[in-house]
Amino acid sequence: MSKFDKLLQKIKALDKDLRFDEVRKVLQSFGYTLRFPNGGSSHATFRKEGCAPLTIPTHEPIKKVYIILVKEAIERIEQNEEENTDTVADCS
């Protein structure tokens, strides 16, 4: 099992020791872009066309409520990819 697969498993298992960089790596691999708002905010916003933005604090470890949001977004993308193998997957 690759490191990336282990990260996905940690997210799907709602691991309470996830770090921001791990979540960032997974979301960016699914096509999300990372933006930090101006003004020194401690939250990061991940955006992907066709998907609702995910705003996650950079504090570590990441709280379970944010891991649940990431898990749900990933599962929607994976489900859409399975259903629409010929088209671009989105989160709707």
Side-chain angles (χ1 to χ4, degrees):
M1 183 180 280
S2 71
K3 287 183 181 182
F4 183 77
D5 290 334
K6 288 180 183 178
L7 281 178
L8 281 177
Q9 288 301 96
K10 283 176 73 173
I11 288 172
K12 290 179 180 181
L14 302 176
D15 190 318
K16 63 180 180 179
D17 293 325
L18 279 167
R19 302 179 60 80
F20 180 78
D21 283 339
E22 293 172 325
V23 172
R24 177 192 50 80
K25 183 183 289 188
V26 170
L27 286 174
Q28 287 180 330
S29 73
F30 279 93
Y32 281 86
T33 57
L34 171 63
R35 293 200 178 128
F36 287 97
N38 295 336
S41 175
S42 63
H43 289 65
T45 301
F46 292 89
R47 296 183 184 274
K48 180 177 179 177
E49 189 173 326
C51 299
L54 298 171
T55 301
I56 300 174
T58 58
H59 306 286
E60 295 178 347
I62 296 178
K63 292 183 180 179
K64 186 176 180 177
V65 66
Y66 297 107
I67 298 170
I68 291 170
L69 292 174
V70 171
K71 176 186 174 197
E72 290 172 350
I74 290 169
E75 288 174 344
R76 280 192 301 270
I77 293 170
E78 288 177 336
Q79 182 181 14
N80 286 336
E81 286 176 351
E82 290 174 6
E83 293 173 358
N84 305 318
T85 55
D86 297 334
T87 60
V88 177
D90 63 20
C91 300
S92 46

